[in-house]
Amino acid sequence: MTSTPLRQRTWQSTRDLVDKPTRQAVATAVDHAADALAARFYAVLLADPQASGMLDHQVVNTRLRASLARWMRELFKPESTLDACMTTQERAGAAHARMGVSIELVAQGARVLKRGIAQELAASPLPRPALALAVQYTYEMVDLAVDAMNQAYASGSDRLSRSDEAYRLQFLSQNMKAERERQKSGLLEWANQILLQYFWEAPEAMHPPGLESGSSQFGLWLRHKASLLFDGAPQVALIEAHIARIEGELLPELARVRGQRDTSLTVVRSITLQVDHIKRLLADMFDSYVAEEDGHDAPSRLLNRRYFPAVAKREIALAQQHHSSFAAVALELDGLEGLRASAGSSAAERMVHQAAEALADRVRAGDFMFRLGDAQMLLLLVEVGPQQAQGVAQGLLNCCRERALTGPGPASARLTASIGLALFDGHPDFQRLLDRAQQALQAARREGGDCSVLSD
């Protein structure tokens, strides 16, 4: 964050409020109280309905409280500089924007910290005149830090908002006709599955699929992509209502009367009618949106990396809302640089395209794929646990090993991959999830590639 002349003067005037011994006394008081104040800060935030949904209790206890205590100690360190302070606030403000922690909540937390530090100073041996200045110094330092955070927060929120809108516009720019047919097929597949399990198979073979279990391709797409693709469209809620009626009312009724032919056929007709309603709503949504093609990475046709923040932020909110998990998979094609040197850039780019298409066939309709760099791709696997995510990673490795890639000329190759895998651990900052996946990827590369590593 740039130190403007005004900010420099304000910082210096705040520092000049107290002498060096008093600054040291404040630093000592903050160091003594930092851990307890961090606990009090998050106790207040977790009691707020707006904040409690974002901040997982275990994450707060193990990571965020320690980070806040460290932040307080760094802010009041007597030898701290303005540039160092502003850099810290910029990181904190950007993190708040990524996590969706509002400016109002930050201000509320700042009041808790200022009050707590003032109480700690009141118990110190500082004489009364010095104590008054020390409290004023404390309040102004926290206010300066919060102002800097808010500036970074506003900038980060603006970028995320633009990313959200750009991602939605990109989604609308797909081949909508093909996408409509894919989702219509997914809907019919789910409908056939539930009728098979509830009506045609023997009772002991029944395993209710449930869209929320993640077993339905259409259900995953509806939850994770449709509401983003058709933001504000009333059909999404209507489709969800029809599905809720099928799963909550009609399927249990069908299971109860399946031995009674006439009654069960009546229930089947009701289910079919609900599915027909969903088909019409689906068609209406797709027919309402037509746009030019834009937003994919040109050679691979994967999503551009600039859409990752919008998707990741939304998946974190969904995981918190539904108490589910998801995973980030960082994948890098091994040996692409050598291939580019031997076969040429054109052949290498074509092979990246082929590898991306092959890998995309291995993931589900609700998952997301991005191209991060020259040879790197990133996947977000929705509603998966550790074993399922590792199974997908192994499938991606096998896909790379087995697929023969061809260039525009006689060049051909088989590329392996290195994979880093990170499971969402409740931390609300998506950058941390990406960093963990990238660190695991680097570990896989150090092991020689053609393998996957799961982040701690």
Side-chain angles (χ1 to χ4, degrees):
M1 181 177 289
T2 303
S3 299
T4 64
L6 176 60
R7 179 173 284 130
Q8 180 69 54
R9 289 196 301 271
T10 305
W11 165 270
Q12 194 59 51
S13 66
T14 300
R15 301 267 292 179
D16 291 344
L17 278 172
V18 294
D19 56 20
K20 188 173 181 179
T22 304
R23 283 199 296 272
Q24 184 58 59
V26 172
T28 300
V30 169
D31 181 62
H32 180 263
D35 294 328
L37 286 175
R40 194 184 308 171
F41 174 93
Y42 280 110
V44 171
L45 259 64
L46 287 169
D48 187 296
Q50 182 182 357
S52 61
M54 304 178 226
L55 302 172
D56 175 84
H57 289 250
Q58 183 177 1
V59 173
V60 168
N61 289 332
T62 57
R63 295 189 180 89
L64 297 183
R65 286 202 306 183
S67 296
L68 177 61
R70 186 167 56 251
W71 173 84
M72 283 187 281
R73 292 182 173 110
E74 289 292 328
L75 179 63
F76 288 99
K77 191 180 292 184
E79 62 271 22
S80 65
T81 65
L82 173 60
D83 287 340
C85 179
M86 292 302 102
T87 298
T88 300
Q89 310 323 314
E90 182 179 41
R91 287 199 298 266
H96 291 157
R98 293 194 298 267
M99 293 186 288
V101 177
S102 70
I103 291 175
E104 290 79 8
L105 282 174
V106 173
Q108 181 182 353
R111 288 192 292 272
V112 171
L113 298 181
K114 289 188 289 189
R115 189 180 305 119
I117 297 173
Q119 290 169 349
E120 186 73 18
L121 287 171
S124 73
L126 281 171
R128 189 172 184 84
L131 175 61
L133 288 175
V135 171
Q136 182 180 352
Y137 163 72
T138 297
Y139 274 52
E140 291 191 16
M141 286 292 286
V142 174
D143 288 342
L144 279 171
V146 171
D147 287 345
M149 275 187 214
N150 290 346
Q151 181 179 341
Y153 176 95
S155 176
S157 294
D158 183 56
R159 286 195 300 271
L160 286 170
S161 295
R162 291 197 303 269
S163 178
D164 285 343
E165 181 60 21
Y167 177 66
R168 196 177 82 83
L169 291 174
Q170 179 277 323
F171 231 149
L172 298 178
S173 71
Q174 297 182 45
N175 184 332
M176 300 301 278
K177 182 177 180 181
E179 182 68 12
R180 176 172 61 182
E181 291 305 310
R182 279 194 294 270
Q183 299 316 319
K184 179 181 176 182
S185 175
L187 169 64
L188 294 178
E189 180 183 353
W190 171 72
N192 289 335
Q193 181 187 35
I194 61 174
L195 288 177
L196 179 67
Q197 291 179 343
Y198 277 84
F199 186 63
W200 295 110
E201 287 187 353
E204 60 272 13
M206 288 196 304
H207 300 286
L211 291 180
E212 293 186 359
S213 71
S215 60
S216 162
Q217 294 283 322
F218 179 74
L220 288 172
W221 176 85
L222 182 68
R223 172 182 290 177
H224 294 275
K225 290 188 176 179
S227 58
L228 191 60
L229 171 58
F230 303 109
D231 183 35
Q235 292 94 335
V236 174
L238 293 173
I239 289 175
E240 291 173 342
H242 286 301
I243 289 172
R245 187 180 175 213
I246 291 173
E247 292 189 327
E249 300 176 21
L250 296 175
L251 291 183
E253 177 67 10
L254 183 58
R256 188 178 66 82
V257 302
R258 63 181 296 144
Q260 306 169 34
R261 178 175 173 78
D262 292 342
T263 306
S264 61
L265 285 175
T266 299
V267 179
V268 168
R269 282 193 289 271
S270 296
I271 292 173
T272 303
L273 182 62
Q274 295 295 312
V275 172
D276 287 341
H277 288 322
I278 295 173
K279 282 197 300 186
R280 284 194 292 273
L281 290 167
L282 197 62
D284 288 344
M285 285 196 304
F286 278 101
D287 287 342
S288 299
Y289 292 89
V290 177
E292 296 179 0
E293 186 173 352
D294 178 46
H296 286 85
D297 172 70
S300 66
R301 306 304 299 157
L302 304 184
L303 290 170
N304 190 289
R305 67 177 299 158
R306 70 177 180 270
Y307 302 122
F308 171 75
V311 175
K313 188 177 177 183
R314 187 169 181 278
E315 287 305 315
I316 287 173
L318 284 170
Q320 292 170 335
Q321 179 183 352
H322 297 284
H323 305 290
S324 59
S325 183
F326 67 98
V329 179
L331 182 150
E332 183 167 352
L333 297 174
D334 300 325
L336 188 62
E337 283 304 315
L339 178 64
R340 181 172 281 110
S342 61
S345 296
S346 177
E349 287 302 303
R350 178 168 175 174
M351 292 181 190
V352 169
H353 186 184
Q354 293 172 25
E357 287 182 332
L359 292 169
D361 289 340
R362 293 295 184 105
V363 299
R364 302 162 302 167
D367 299 326
F368 299 85
M369 286 187 67
F370 308 83
R371 189 175 186 188
L372 292 189
D374 195 31
Q376 279 197 29
M377 303 171 198
L378 178 71
L379 295 84
L380 283 185
L381 308 178
V382 302
E383 299 189 29
V384 295
Q387 289 186 336
Q388 189 177 3
Q390 288 177 294
V392 172
Q394 187 59 49
L396 297 173
L397 290 174
N398 294 338
C399 176
C400 290
R401 294 166 185 158
E402 298 163 359
R403 178 68 181 262
L405 307 174
T406 59
S412 65
R414 290 181 186 271
L415 295 178
T416 58
S418 300
I419 290 179
L421 180 64
L423 273 294
F424 175 61
D425 62 0
H427 197 290
D429 186 352
F430 59 78
Q431 185 62 46
R432 184 175 180 278
L433 179 68
L434 178 58
D435 290 344
R436 289 172 53 227
Q438 293 281 16
Q439 290 163 7
L441 171 61
Q442 296 307 313
R445 293 182 64 189
R446 288 194 297 270
E447 292 185 13
D450 194 21
C451 65
S452 66
V453 171
L454 177 64
S455 172
D456 295 333

